[in-house]
Amino acid sequence: MNKKIIVTGGCGFIGSHTAVELQNKGYDVVLIDDLSNAYENTINRVFMITGIRPIFEKIDLKDEKETQHCFHKHRDAIGVIHFAAYKAVGESKTDPIKYYENNFKGLIHVLKAMQSNSISNIIFSSSATVYGLPEKLPIQEDLPTQRPFSPYGNTKKVGEEILEDVVKCGWLKAISLRYFNPIGAHESGNIGELPQGTPNNLMPYITQTAVGKLDQLQVFGDDYETKDGTAVRDYIHVVDLALAHVKALDYLLNNEDQTNLEIFNLGTGKGYTVMEVIKTFERVSGQELNYEIVERRDGDVPSLFANGDKASKILGWEVKRNLDDMIQDSWKWEQNNRNNN
Ligand code: UDP
């Protein structure tokens, strides 16, 4: 049976881990990436893990013609997992047009190319940022969305709304996966997160500070109403997250009568403060971390954690990796990769 899946943004952090798990489950993977925030060498690294070389297409999804051509070439694909997007929250505030252009053109061109080539299943990479400042914790999927605090977040919210409308037309089935805070790396140390320039996110900032690439971690705020005053997030291991995509795909392919966009939260259900993450890092790595407490970061919410019951009940997905595993694997990846990509 044909099991070809197109993975856009496939050389990126979550895309590459998902490619590995798709191959482990017998799917044939086509990775599309424009390499604007990823490296082609990721293909070799996926091959090192699985022994299978994914097909690679260097395509800029902003280019409709190129996108159509690529999807036509792979019109035997049975589904698409759409990761390709710009994702730096801060940059999206200083250059919103860049974010709206890239993330919307990418999604629209993918949908048009799917329609032209009769590919009818898509999984969309979304984010917990669509909940804004949630009124209730833990967050369940039926909590109303709010306008996110950044243009990046808004591309995820509106992206879901676009999918909702297209699914109602009848030719498309779609799932949106709302990620909480993905960290960690593949346990082999071969693939992981490789932010270009100074990282925005907590975990790469911690590991880069620990290896001396950066001087000092700034902890954004210790006056939140949380157990130690620092903000709470639901960190999830990227391999658990990748496995959820495979489960979601299996569900989507077998669910013939889908009439609405299906939404799932992907988190562990457990929240940890920034200080707990730092202390766990120091224990797991044996390194003391240089950090200081500074002002809150604009747009940060005090606490965010998921109720992940829907994904476990409907998709049969289970979180298997804890915070120690996440930090251990992030640290291994940083140490393996400080000088190369
Ligand atoms: N954070 C921090 N220092 C940093 C980066 C992040 O204290 O250099 C905090 C941030 O305020 C938030 C948590 O770490 O409470 C996770 O932030 P991240 O940017 O990784 O993800 P977000 O939840 O903002 O998407």
Side-chain angles (χ1 to χ4, degrees):
M1 187 192 128
N2 171 26
K3 293 191 85 178
K4 188 189 270 189
I5 304 296
I6 295 174
V7 180
T8 75
C11 293
F13 177 42
I14 305 172
S16 57
H17 288 82
T18 301
V20 165
E21 300 309 330
L22 286 168
Q23 289 187 331
N24 285 344
K25 288 276 154 56
Y27 286 103
D28 300 320
V29 177
V30 178
L31 299 187
I32 294 181
D33 209 297
D34 67 358
L35 304 179
S36 61
N37 190 26
Y39 299 90
E40 192 169 347
N41 194 22
T42 303
I43 310 292
N44 296 326
R45 289 164 170 265
V46 168
F47 175 69
M48 275 158 71
I49 297 170
T50 62
I52 307 163
R53 187 170 295 278
I55 298 172
F56 175 59
E57 303 280 4
K58 183 171 183 298
I59 300 288
D60 178 356
L61 297 172
K62 289 198 290 305
D63 185 327
E64 184 172 1
K65 247 171 110 179
E66 258 188 55
T67 308
Q68 282 284 359
H69 182 255
C70 178
F71 275 64
H72 185 72
K73 186 168 151 195
H74 297 293
R75 62 189 176 281
D76 55 334
I78 54 174
V80 175
I81 306 185
H82 182 52
F83 294 105
Y86 292 156
K87 61 173 187 179
V89 172
E91 189 192 32
S92 80
K93 291 185 193 168
T94 54
D95 197 351
I97 295 173
K98 175 175 169 183
Y99 276 67
Y100 286 124
E101 178 178 38
N102 185 70
N103 294 4
F104 288 148
K105 274 192 178 169
L107 176 61
I108 295 295
H109 293 163
V110 164
L111 289 172
K112 286 175 85 174
M114 288 175 70
Q115 190 174 28
S116 320
N117 292 289
S118 304
I119 305 170
S120 58
N121 296 291
I122 187 168
I123 293 178
F124 180 64
S125 170
S126 186
S127 162
T129 186
V130 302
Y131 294 112
L133 180 63
E135 273 151 33
K136 228 172 77 187
L137 290 166
I139 299 170
Q140 243 168 253
E141 289 82 351
D142 56 5
L143 197 72
T145 57
Q146 297 175 11
R147 193 173 192 311
F149 297 108
S150 71
Y152 155 75
N154 207 32
T155 67
K156 294 299 177 188
K157 178 171 177 285
V158 178
E160 287 189 349
E161 289 165 1
I162 292 170
L163 286 170
E164 246 165 42
D165 290 342
V166 180
V167 168
K168 287 194 188 119
C169 300
W171 65 270
L172 185 74
K173 293 189 291 161
I175 288 180
S176 181
L177 299 178
R178 293 178 177 164
Y179 312 150
F180 281 67
N181 286 61
I183 61 169
H186 194 265
E187 62 187 4
S188 65
N190 282 320
I191 53 173
E193 191 172 9
L194 256 186
Q196 288 181 347
T198 309
N200 299 298
N201 298 110
L202 180 63
M203 202 61 226
Y205 214 105
I206 288 178
T207 58
Q208 291 195 16
T209 305
V211 292
K213 268 192 211 166
L214 299 170
D215 285 344
Q216 191 178 48
L217 169 76
Q218 298 193 318
V219 175
F220 298 137
D222 68 348
D223 56 352
Y224 289 108
E225 273 183 40
T226 60
K227 59 177 138 168
D228 59 25
T230 62
V232 169
R233 293 290 180 276
D234 184 341
Y235 297 93
I236 174 158
H237 197 296
V238 64
V239 173
D240 279 330
L241 195 75
L243 287 163
H245 289 72
V246 181
K247 292 272 187 192
L249 183 67
D250 290 342
Y251 174 78
L252 189 65
L253 294 173
N254 290 318
N255 183 9
E256 285 309 324
D257 325 307
Q258 197 198 15
T259 49
N260 289 306
L261 173 70
E262 286 261 18
I263 292 171
F264 296 95
N265 284 339
L266 298 181
T268 65
K270 284 199 197 90
Y272 290 97
T273 67
V274 176
M275 280 315 298
E276 284 174 324
V277 174
I278 291 173
K279 292 297 159 204
T280 309
F281 175 81
E282 291 188 325
R283 175 171 51 75
V284 166
S285 69
Q287 305 273 317
E288 207 180 306
L289 198 71
N290 183 19
Y291 66 88
E292 62 165 348
I293 312 284
V294 298
E295 291 292 291
R296 294 182 181 191
R297 181 171 67 178
D298 188 34
D300 275 351
V301 300
S303 282
L304 216 54
F305 52 96
N307 175 325
D309 290 354
K310 186 178 173 195
S312 65
K313 222 164 98 194
I314 297 183
L315 303 178
W317 172 67
E318 251 181 288
V319 172
K320 297 226 169 96
R321 293 159 183 83
N322 63 24
L323 188 66
D324 279 27
D325 302 323
M326 300 178 212
I327 289 179
Q328 202 148 34
D329 291 335
S330 291
W331 181 228
K332 181 174 181 182
W333 162 247
E334 184 68 63
Q335 289 176 297
N336 274 1
N337 291 284
R338 62 180 105 170
N339 294 321
N340 58 37
N341 59 48

PDB file of all heavy atoms in Angstrom, residues 1-4 26-28 76 78 253-254:
ATOM      1  N   MET A   1       0.836  -1.205   0.000  1.00  0.00           N
ATOM      2  CA  MET A   1       0.000   0.000   0.000  1.00  0.00           C
ATOM      3  C   MET A   1       0.870   1.254   0.000  1.00  0.00           C
ATOM      4  O   MET A   1       1.888   1.295   0.681  1.00  0.00           O
ATOM      5  CB  MET A   1      -0.895  -0.037   1.252  1.00  0.00           C
ATOM      6  CG  MET A   1      -1.929   1.048   1.315  1.00  0.00           C
ATOM      7  SD  MET A   1      -2.610   1.052   3.004  1.00  0.00           S
ATOM      8  CE  MET A   1      -2.436   2.740   3.447  1.00  0.00           C
ATOM      9  N   ASN A   2       0.456   2.269  -0.768  1.00  0.00           N
ATOM     10  CA  ASN A   2       1.204   3.519  -0.813  1.00  0.00           C
ATOM     11  C   ASN A   2       1.121   4.245   0.535  1.00  0.00           C
ATOM     12  O   ASN A   2       0.051   4.466   1.061  1.00  0.00           O
ATOM     13  CB  ASN A   2       0.622   4.399  -1.924  1.00  0.00           C
ATOM     14  CG  ASN A   2       1.210   5.788  -1.884  1.00  0.00           C
ATOM     15  OD1 ASN A   2       2.328   5.976  -1.405  1.00  0.00           O
ATOM     16  ND2 ASN A   2       0.467   6.753  -2.378  1.00  0.00           N
ATOM     17  N   LYS A   3       2.278   4.608   1.076  1.00  0.00           N
ATOM     18  CA  LYS A   3       2.282   5.304   2.368  1.00  0.00           C
ATOM     19  C   LYS A   3       3.154   6.552   2.301  1.00  0.00           C
ATOM     20  O   LYS A   3       3.929   6.829   3.203  1.00  0.00           O
ATOM     21  CB  LYS A   3       2.779   4.353   3.460  1.00  0.00           C
ATOM     22  CG  LYS A   3       1.832   3.191   3.730  1.00  0.00           C
ATOM     23  CD  LYS A   3       2.206   2.421   4.969  1.00  0.00           C
ATOM     24  CE  LYS A   3       1.635   3.024   6.235  1.00  0.00           C
ATOM     25  NZ  LYS A   3       1.925   2.300   7.469  1.00  0.00           N
ATOM     26  N   LYS A   4       3.023   7.296   1.197  1.00  0.00           N
ATOM     27  CA  LYS A   4       3.871   8.483   1.054  1.00  0.00           C
ATOM     28  C   LYS A   4       3.261   9.698   1.768  1.00  0.00           C
ATOM     29  O   LYS A   4       2.102  10.027   1.568  1.00  0.00           O
ATOM     30  CB  LYS A   4       4.065   8.810  -0.434  1.00  0.00           C
ATOM     31  CG  LYS A   4       5.097   9.919  -0.645  1.00  0.00           C
ATOM     32  CD  LYS A   4       5.136  10.409  -2.083  1.00  0.00           C
ATOM     33  CE  LYS A   4       6.118   9.650  -2.948  1.00  0.00           C
ATOM     34  NZ  LYS A   4       6.281  10.301  -4.282  1.00  0.00           N
ATOM     35  N   GLY A  26       6.965   2.891   8.961  1.00  0.00           N
ATOM     36  CA  GLY A  26       6.785   2.372   7.602  1.00  0.00           C
ATOM     37  C   GLY A  26       6.256   3.375   6.590  1.00  0.00           C
ATOM     38  O   GLY A  26       5.945   2.993   5.453  1.00  0.00           O
ATOM     39  N   TYR A  27       6.152   4.641   6.956  1.00  0.00           N
ATOM     40  CA  TYR A  27       5.747   5.657   5.979  1.00  0.00           C
ATOM     41  C   TYR A  27       6.944   6.052   5.114  1.00  0.00           C
ATOM     42  O   TYR A  27       8.098   6.023   5.571  1.00  0.00           O
ATOM     43  CB  TYR A  27       5.212   6.912   6.687  1.00  0.00           C
ATOM     44  CG  TYR A  27       3.829   6.727   7.283  1.00  0.00           C
ATOM     45  CD1 TYR A  27       3.657   6.525   8.647  1.00  0.00           C
ATOM     46  CD2 TYR A  27       2.693   6.750   6.472  1.00  0.00           C
ATOM     47  CE1 TYR A  27       2.390   6.352   9.202  1.00  0.00           C
ATOM     48  CE2 TYR A  27       1.425   6.582   7.019  1.00  0.00           C
ATOM     49  CZ  TYR A  27       1.280   6.379   8.379  1.00  0.00           C
ATOM     50  OH  TYR A  27       0.027   6.205   8.925  1.00  0.00           O
ATOM     51  N   ASP A  28       6.662   6.405   3.844  1.00  0.00           N
ATOM     52  CA  ASP A  28       7.691   6.957   2.951  1.00  0.00           C
ATOM     53  C   ASP A  28       7.600   8.470   3.049  1.00  0.00           C
ATOM     54  O   ASP A  28       6.524   9.036   2.856  1.00  0.00           O
ATOM     55  CB  ASP A  28       7.432   6.537   1.497  1.00  0.00           C
ATOM     56  CG  ASP A  28       7.446   5.034   1.364  1.00  0.00           C
ATOM     57  OD1 ASP A  28       8.302   4.404   2.014  1.00  0.00           O
ATOM     58  OD2 ASP A  28       6.572   4.481   0.658  1.00  0.00           O
ATOM     59  N   ASP A  76       1.051  11.053  -5.562  1.00  0.00           N
ATOM     60  CA  ASP A  76       0.652   9.783  -4.935  1.00  0.00           C
ATOM     61  C   ASP A  76       0.709   9.869  -3.401  1.00  0.00           C
ATOM     62  O   ASP A  76       0.421   8.877  -2.718  1.00  0.00           O
ATOM     63  CB  ASP A  76       1.536   8.636  -5.446  1.00  0.00           C
ATOM     64  CG  ASP A  76       3.037   8.911  -5.250  1.00  0.00           C
ATOM     65  OD1 ASP A  76       3.424  10.103  -5.194  1.00  0.00           O
ATOM     66  OD2 ASP A  76       3.801   7.929  -5.150  1.00  0.00           O
ATOM     67  N   ILE A  78      -0.407  10.402   0.378  1.00  0.00           N
ATOM     68  CA  ILE A  78      -1.734  10.228   0.992  1.00  0.00           C
ATOM     69  C   ILE A  78      -2.007  11.288   2.064  1.00  0.00           C
ATOM     70  O   ILE A  78      -3.112  11.377   2.573  1.00  0.00           O
ATOM     71  CB  ILE A  78      -1.904   8.801   1.580  1.00  0.00           C
ATOM     72  CG1 ILE A  78      -0.747   8.480   2.548  1.00  0.00           C
ATOM     73  CG2 ILE A  78      -1.985   7.772   0.450  1.00  0.00           C
ATOM     74  CD1 ILE A  78      -0.923   7.156   3.278  1.00  0.00           C
ATOM     75  N   LEU A 253      -6.263   9.230   8.599  1.00  0.00           N
ATOM     76  CA  LEU A 253      -6.382   8.388   7.400  1.00  0.00           C
ATOM     77  C   LEU A 253      -7.519   7.375   7.546  1.00  0.00           C
ATOM     78  O   LEU A 253      -8.131   6.967   6.567  1.00  0.00           O
ATOM     79  CB  LEU A 253      -5.053   7.654   7.126  1.00  0.00           C
ATOM     80  CG  LEU A 253      -3.866   8.557   6.750  1.00  0.00           C
ATOM     81  CD1 LEU A 253      -2.570   7.754   6.682  1.00  0.00           C
ATOM     82  CD2 LEU A 253      -4.109   9.279   5.424  1.00  0.00           C
ATOM     83  N   ASN A 254      -7.780   6.965   8.805  1.00  0.00           N
ATOM     84  CA  ASN A 254      -8.823   5.953   9.021  1.00  0.00           C
ATOM     85  C   ASN A 254     -10.199   6.538   9.297  1.00  0.00           C
ATOM     86  O   ASN A 254     -11.174   5.811   9.414  1.00  0.00           O
ATOM     87  CB  ASN A 254      -8.427   5.051  10.208  1.00  0.00           C
ATOM     88  CG  ASN A 254      -7.264   4.171   9.836  1.00  0.00           C
ATOM     89  OD1 ASN A 254      -7.232   3.632   8.724  1.00  0.00           O
ATOM     90  ND2 ASN A 254      -6.293   4.059  10.719  1.00  0.00           N
TER      91      ASN A 254
END
